[in-house]
Amino acid sequence: MLVEFRPDARLRSGKPVDFAASVGPVVEALRADTSGPAADLSQVRVVCDWVQYRENFRDIVDVRPILAQPPAGSPPTGAGTGSVEIAVDVRRGGEVDLEQLTAERLAPAGDQRLLLEDWHPGTEGLIWGFNALYWSALALWEKSTGRGYEQALPGGESDARNRAASRELVGQLFAVWDRLADSGALPEELYVLELGVGNGGQAKVFLDEFRTADLAHGREYYRRLHYLMCDYSQHVLDLARETVAEHLEHVSSFALDATRPTTSLGFLRYKIFLVYTSNVYDNLPTDEVAQLGGRTYRVQTRAYLPAAVAGELAASVRVAPDELPALVRKLLRLGPVVLADALPEQFGDVEAAVQFWRRTWAGLKLEERYVPLAGLDLYRLAPSVSGEMLRPLLESGADLRMHVSNGAVASFTDSLRLLHPFGRLICHDIFVTDAQGYRTNFRGPGKYDGSVVNWVNGSLLAHVGRRHGFDVHYAPFAHRGGGHIVTMTAQVRE
Ligand SMILES: C[S@@+](CC[C@H](N)C(=O)[O-])C[C@H]1O[C@@H](n2cnc3c(N)ncnc32)[C@H](O)[C@@H]1O
């Protein structure tokens, strides 16, 4: 049996985690389970995490099959033995009788959970439908909770609105433009692109600072500026346009998927001087992969509701629990406004539909299993990026499970195509910049209000960026101390 205790720093913290109390009861339950999935103890992994997100997709104890072969219909892989991982959230372990809960989770069919979908790689799961719904119907969610989305971000507000950071950025842009202008190489149109604009707070701060700096600088860059605000939520774009009302002459908005900006902006290839994004990469779909005992696996997930949650939720809208999966799909397809219109028996008004959405999301959990990967070269992690890019990280030492950040890699590589040779891509986000960071901390997914958050695989982005001829640097966000936000800068290698 292998025990991996990831939050080792917490064993020595001011309020130390009790290792024996976190692991002992789990092992006791495993010892007693002689006929279930953990019958062969030599094939068992016990993995302990500190799941820092209060709202998350994990049970306190999860049992994850490690498949020997991919499910029927997938490409075959080499031989392997089936085994099992018992995952424990040590932050909440003390809230329950851990031995009993582990025994219950090991008992086949002991738990009548309601499945909402079939197995999928992480990128294709139902949670991304919830994530998109959150941004498209943000006003309804915020009205219902009485909280704005920024309150769920680290620090309670977005670093994107930091004035000092914007001023510095503008100063750097002006320095590049001055040099180009002096040699007659500065184009007339000066393009800046922001992906994932939220309420437009960053855009406003940037544009305000830009205009002020331009007045002092005196080279009329503001007159030539085109600020392109992009988001996949029309509602968010409308909000952001209101926020930047006084700069509208310089602003265009595009409803587009941040993972494929060139589909709408291909005409700006090599023309954009700044691609800016903050707190977006951590909100884009991702798979997870793992290297366990020398074999590579992709994590598959499926969403479920615990039996008690499903029972209450079904009763609240007067349907049978087994009708819930179809109702949830309808919610994701139609949104709460149309759903309330379409099913007046279930939802007296729009707020009732929003309540259903919020309660479903609050109760939603993910089961996980490990499926062998046929070969890294056969795994396309983004449209133009082979799974081979993962090899140096996966083979960097002991067993490892990490995010692939597929959406972030896709957005990053596609955005690089738009950059002017002297342009830069700047991204503020929560990055894991060293593979070791996956061996010690839980990196998601968690729930930020109605959205999904996963840390971004910074080592992978840097590796991919270098392969595309870019230098990629990470530095702690310089304008606020103590947070986890890191600034990534990518520019053409000199
Ligand atoms: C957490 S907010 C960040 C907003 C802002 N940049 C900030 O830092 O405050 C994430 C933003 O990304 C947008 N977003 C998420 N996924 C997207 C996608 N696939 N394509 C375009 N926009 C997306 C959301 O609509 C939302 O506006």
Side-chain angles (χ1 to χ4, degrees):
M1 185 194 306
L2 189 141
V3 177
E4 190 176 330
F5 192 87
R6 294 187 182 131
D8 50 43
R10 291 192 176 266
L11 293 171
R12 292 195 181 130
S13 67
K15 228 175 133 196
V17 172
D18 183 340
F19 180 85
S22 302
V23 178
V26 175
V27 175
E28 272 310 300
L30 286 167
R31 195 179 56 78
D33 179 63
T34 51
S35 58
D40 179 356
L41 288 178
S42 73
Q43 297 300 316
V44 175
R45 298 167 45 84
V46 177
V47 175
C48 299
D49 281 305
W50 178 278
V51 178
Q52 70 272 31
Y53 298 104
R54 296 227 154 257
E55 304 300 326
N56 60 66
F57 301 93
R58 295 265 301 256
D59 196 351
I60 298 174
V61 176
D62 282 314
V63 175
R64 301 170 179 159
I66 304 175
L67 303 194
Q69 289 294 336
S74 316
T77 60
T81 55
S83 48
V84 70
E85 180 173 277
I86 315 296
V88 185
D89 175 8
V90 299
R91 179 173 66 80
R92 293 178 293 164
E95 295 170 9
V96 291
D97 180 334
L98 207 47
E99 182 175 341
Q100 191 192 328
L101 181 65
T102 309
E104 282 171 20
R105 294 293 173 263
L106 286 167
D111 172 16
Q112 300 298 317
R113 51 187 56 176
L114 179 78
L115 297 175
L116 295 177
E117 63 179 337
D118 206 347
W119 290 109
H120 293 289
T123 38
E124 292 166 26
L126 200 64
I127 61 171
W128 299 108
F130 277 92
N131 192 65
L133 177 62
Y134 176 72
W135 294 114
S136 67
L138 184 63
L140 291 174
W141 180 284
E142 291 187 337
K143 181 165 163 244
S144 174
T145 61
R147 266 195 325 271
Y149 80 85
E150 277 196 62
Q151 284 168 270
L153 296 178
E157 70 164 45
S158 172
D159 285 322
R161 289 201 279 112
N162 187 293
R163 287 204 172 268
S166 261
R167 221 170 291 138
E168 185 178 274
L169 203 53
V170 168
Q172 290 163 349
L173 265 180
F174 282 12
V176 171
W177 290 346
D178 286 350
R179 276 203 307 277
L180 288 173
D182 291 346
S183 57
L186 186 65
E188 175 57 26
E189 319 281 343
L190 304 175
Y191 291 103
V192 170
L193 165 68
E194 183 182 355
L195 292 172
V197 291
N199 56 21
Q202 131 72 21
K204 172 157 173 49
V205 168
F206 179 89
L207 288 162
D208 287 351
E209 292 301 324
F210 191 105
R211 187 176 51 189
T212 307
D214 185 51
L215 269 178
H217 197 65
R219 295 188 80 157
E220 297 208 355
Y221 291 146
Y222 183 69
R223 182 182 58 75
R224 296 157 71 179
L225 178 69
H226 295 267
Y227 193 93
L228 314 175
M229 296 198 305
C230 304
D231 206 285
Y232 70 170
S233 158
Q234 188 58 50
H235 166 69
V236 159
L237 280 175
D238 292 344
L239 266 184
R241 274 188 85 77
E242 275 176 38
T243 310
V244 298
E246 57 187 299
H247 298 283
L248 278 186
E249 268 185 30
H250 301 274
V251 175
S252 313
S253 358
F254 294 83
L256 57 74
D257 190 328
T259 62
R260 288 177 281 125
T262 60
T263 47
S264 305
L265 301 176
F267 65 101
L268 292 175
R269 211 166 276 241
Y270 307 124
K271 290 202 169 82
I272 296 185
F273 279 98
L274 174 65
V275 174
Y276 180 89
T277 178
S278 97
N279 300 314
V280 178
Y281 283 2
D282 65 6
N283 189 230
L284 297 176
T286 180
D287 283 349
E288 287 184 74
V289 289
Q291 186 81 357
L292 306 176
R295 297 193 81 200
T296 310
Y297 299 85
R298 194 172 181 190
V299 178
Q300 290 189 340
T301 64
R302 61 179 177 184
Y304 72 93
L305 294 173
V309 175
E312 279 174 29
L313 191 62
S316 75
V317 291
R318 292 171 291 283
V319 299
D322 64 1
E323 292 175 77
L324 280 177
L327 197 53
V328 168
R329 283 182 191 285
K330 228 173 224 167
L331 164 73
L332 296 182
R333 207 175 58 247
L334 303 178
V337 176
V338 180
L339 186 69
D341 257 0
L343 299 174
E345 300 269 298
Q346 273 68 45
F347 306 103
D349 54 19
V350 173
E351 175 56 21
V354 175
Q355 285 294 336
F356 174 72
W357 168 22
R358 287 177 55 196
R359 292 176 70 181
T360 307
W361 181 242
L364 190 149
K365 302 275 173 211
L366 291 176
E367 278 182 8
E368 294 179 353
R369 69 179 186 183
Y370 294 94
V371 176
L373 251 183
L376 284 174
D377 55 336
L378 299 179
Y379 172 44
R380 205 165 57 142
L381 62 91
S384 60
V385 185
S386 156
E388 276 297 331
M389 288 283 161
L390 297 166
R391 191 177 296 285
L393 298 168
L394 285 173
E395 296 180 357
S396 66
D399 284 354
L400 179 73
R401 172 175 164 157
M402 66 179 188
H403 289 97
V404 181
S405 302
N406 311 64
V409 172
S411 180
F412 176 65
T413 49
D414 205 38
S415 303
L416 294 181
R417 299 193 175 102
L418 296 171
L419 277 185
H420 182 278
F422 288 94
R424 286 192 308 163
L425 182 149
I426 305 266
C427 173
H428 304 300
D429 221 316
I430 40 178
F431 287 103
V432 183
T433 53
D434 170 1
Q436 186 60 18
Y438 283 108
R439 297 195 176 96
T440 51
N441 290 75
F442 178 73
R443 303 301 185 169
K447 300 176 189 173
Y448 273 171
D449 254 353
S451 69
V452 181
V453 61
N454 283 290
W455 289 59
V456 183
N457 192 330
S459 314
L460 177 63
L461 282 182
H463 182 50
V464 170
R466 280 193 291 270
R467 285 297 178 93
H468 282 73
F470 284 76
D471 274 333
V472 180
H473 294 287
Y474 293 99
F477 181 69
H479 302 275
R480 179 163 70 93
H484 292 299
I485 297 289
V486 164
T487 302
M488 176 181 87
T489 307
Q491 57 196 350
V492 174
R493 195 180 301 139
E494 299 203 347

